[in-house]
Amino acid sequence: MMEMRAVDPYPPQRQDAGLRAAAHSLEANFLAEMLKSADFGSSPTSFGGGIGEEQFTSFLIEEQAKLIVEAGGLGLSEQIFDALVRKNDAQ
């Protein structure tokens, strides 16, 4: 008698590097905007203030958002990745 097993439509070994990178990038951008809205890194006296500090603070926020995603993030990138895979497979 043949055993019927459910097939996982999204096996863990699936290597959709482009879709995964896009999902991580979107989550990092989302987190960066959240951090900016929360005034993360907005200490006007950290480096003496000025327009240069404001510009470099945005780079710091973006890099920290990327690190948050690399450390597991909010799980948003996995949701986005799954949606992209489903959409890609449907086409």
Side-chain angles (χ1 to χ4, degrees):
M1 182 178 242
M2 183 181 254
E3 181 180 327
M4 298 289 286
R5 294 187 333 175
V7 176
D8 184 3
Y10 309 110
Q13 68 273 11
R14 185 171 183 142
Q15 297 296 319
D16 290 310
L19 293 178
R20 190 164 300 281
H24 283 222
S25 177
L26 186 57
E27 182 176 10
N29 288 332
F30 175 75
L31 282 170
E33 289 302 316
M34 284 181 53
L35 292 171
K36 287 176 193 173
S37 294
D39 286 334
F40 178 80
S42 66
S43 177
T45 60
S46 295
F47 299 110
I51 196 162
E53 181 179 348
E54 291 175 19
Q55 292 173 343
F56 286 107
T57 298
S58 69
F59 292 133
L60 173 66
I61 290 171
E62 290 171 11
E63 285 303 311
Q64 291 197 338
K66 289 177 188 175
L67 291 173
I68 291 170
V69 171
E70 288 176 16
L74 305 173
L76 182 60
S77 63
E78 283 303 311
Q79 295 295 320
I80 294 168
F81 174 74
D82 288 342
L84 290 172
V85 167
R86 283 192 303 272
K87 182 174 175 93
N88 195 32
D89 288 348
Q91 295 176 350

